[in-house]
Amino acid sequence: MATTVPVLLARDQVHRLLRHGDLVSRLEAALGKFSRRGSEEEREEVVQPLRTTVPLRKYRGYLGLMPAYMVEEDILCAKMVSFYEREEGCDLPAHEATVLLLDPQRGNVTAVMDGTAITEKRTAVVSAISAKLLMPARAEVLCILGSGSQAASHYETFTEMFSFKEIRVWSRRRERAEQFARSVQGPVAVCSSAKDAAQGADVIVTVTMATEPVLLGEWVKPGAHVVAVGACRPNWRELDDDLMREATVYVDSREGAYKESGDVILSGAAVFAELGEVINGTKAAQSEKTTVFKSLGMGIQDAVCAKLVFDQWKRQQ
């Protein structure tokens, strides 16, 4: 039997082939399908075990393994993602990822692609989907806490999908925030503190490597929507107890949030709904209240993206 050599797709290729506009409807459908897993038959349509993590104590990091199989779409995918608790001033990346797309029938790898680009884009698009459903009707001020690659991806996606009159950014290192502001298209106000950035904002996105809260509930105006992307370990936090307990909390996966999210676990906050339940109409989008979407990321999101990238690549051959 002939050996099939996997296609190798580098970061710049993935970026070029994966466009935000192509992802919104696909990721909404995947989120909705994930949250419809009521019967045994429905559960078998989306097979996604909890993320397995391997500690890298020597380097203060973890390796996460995220397999997923979407039966109807016949997509088999696995992502390997490493993430680290970096010291301030460290120039090493906080995340690196590789995605494997497999042939479900044969079991062989058909494509190996840069997973960091996929992670950045699908995370930002899911965050924007949460904002579309949950942010105030007249959202004029966007606040981004953090200045890394996820901050850039969220800025690109949110400014493409929504119109804000003011955008603010804050980072622990002001020079990084200023560098971020110079790198994006459009005016961005660099704030001297997280408090200054967050107060009065309609949408607040936290994309930090914080292990202790950087956003306090007393700074968040009533009715604002908070998207919490960082703090993906049970003992890491971005949001304080007051915010988590007072807000209506949405997640991508209840099981994942109660296992992995320090913001949920340590605050004792109750999860109101999965984002897919809102998409399906089985849970309300309480946009008149202060809302939090705690994003952890799911394998099916990577699977949808990997299939799209591979199909786009094949069409161009």
Side-chain angles (χ1 to χ4, degrees):
M1 183 181 294
T3 301
T4 302
V5 178
V7 173
L8 300 178
L9 298 173
R11 182 180 176 85
D12 60 337
Q13 292 174 289
V14 175
H15 263 300
R16 178 172 52 82
L17 295 169
L18 196 60
R19 295 185 293 271
H20 297 100
D22 296 329
L23 280 177
V24 175
S25 61
R26 288 175 170 85
L27 287 173
E28 285 179 338
L31 290 164
K33 178 169 286 191
F34 177 81
S35 295
R36 279 196 299 269
R37 299 165 303 143
S39 67
E40 187 66 31
E41 182 178 336
E42 287 172 322
R43 284 195 293 273
E44 291 177 354
E45 282 297 302
V46 176
V47 183
Q48 179 187 273
L50 277 173
R51 175 166 34 207
T52 299
T53 55
V54 178
L56 308 172
R57 293 187 178 89
K58 181 178 179 180
Y59 302 104
R60 301 175 68 195
Y62 299 86
L63 173 66
L65 305 176
M66 303 171 63
Y69 179 43
M70 302 184 71
V71 178
E72 184 178 353
E73 298 81 357
D74 208 27
I75 307 173
L76 180 61
C77 179
K79 182 168 79 173
M80 297 176 289
V81 55
S82 55
F83 50 99
Y84 301 87
E85 184 182 349
R86 299 298 192 193
E87 295 181 357
E88 188 172 346
C90 179
D91 291 325
L92 291 173
H95 301 85
E96 290 287 347
T98 301
V99 169
L100 308 179
L101 188 65
L102 298 93
D103 181 330
Q105 184 176 22
R106 291 185 55 189
N108 62 297
V109 176
T110 57
V112 179
M113 58 189 76
D114 179 86
T116 304
I118 286 176
T119 302
E120 290 168 3
K121 290 203 174 185
R122 61 86 157 149
T123 304
V125 170
V126 172
S127 294
I129 291 170
S130 83
K132 183 175 74 168
L133 296 170
L134 301 171
M135 72 181 183
R138 296 185 62 183
E140 298 183 343
V141 180
L142 170 66
C143 161
I144 300 175
L145 304 183
S147 59
S149 59
Q150 281 287 4
S153 182
H154 277 72
Y155 175 91
E156 180 181 356
T157 302
F158 273 64
T159 54
E160 183 177 306
M161 290 182 61
F162 311 113
S163 296
F164 294 99
K165 292 183 178 180
E166 182 183 356
I167 300 175
R168 308 169 186 166
V169 66
W170 168 85
S171 182
R172 291 185 188 276
R173 296 167 60 186
R174 185 177 177 87
E175 64 270 20
R176 291 289 299 274
E178 291 173 344
Q179 182 181 17
F180 170 86
R182 290 193 297 269
S183 69
V184 299
Q185 301 291 326
V188 175
V190 176
C191 298
S192 58
S193 70
K195 179 180 179 181
D196 289 344
Q199 284 187 322
D202 300 295
V203 179
I204 303 170
V205 178
T206 61
V207 279
T208 74
M209 285 302 297
T211 57
E212 299 293 334
V214 294
L215 179 63
L216 307 186
E218 64 185 81
W219 304 341
V220 178
K221 83 174 191 178
H225 178 54
V226 177
V227 180
V229 175
C232 56
R233 294 295 298 156
N235 57 337
W236 293 3
R237 303 286 302 270
E238 282 189 311
L239 317 181
D240 75 344
D241 287 350
D242 288 344
L243 177 54
M244 289 300 298
R245 291 172 183 170
E246 293 298 322
T248 303
V249 178
Y250 297 79
V251 297
D252 42 20
S253 162
R254 276 190 180 83
E255 186 181 16
Y258 284 127
K259 178 74 173 180
E260 296 181 313
S261 169
D263 285 319
V264 172
I265 296 167
L266 299 178
S267 68
V271 171
F272 175 73
E274 291 179 344
L275 206 58
E277 293 176 306
V278 180
I279 292 169
N280 294 337
T282 57
K283 288 283 187 175
Q286 298 186 358
S287 56
E288 74 282 1
K289 297 182 179 180
T290 304
T291 53
V292 166
F293 170 58
K294 177 57 202 170
S295 169
L296 286 165
M298 299 194 294
I300 58 168
Q301 298 167 4
D302 301 310
V304 167
C305 293
K307 182 65 162 56
L308 178 59
V309 168
F310 190 55
D311 288 347
Q312 295 279 50
W313 176 83
K314 287 192 295 184
R315 279 194 284 270
Q316 295 181 11
Q317 300 312 298

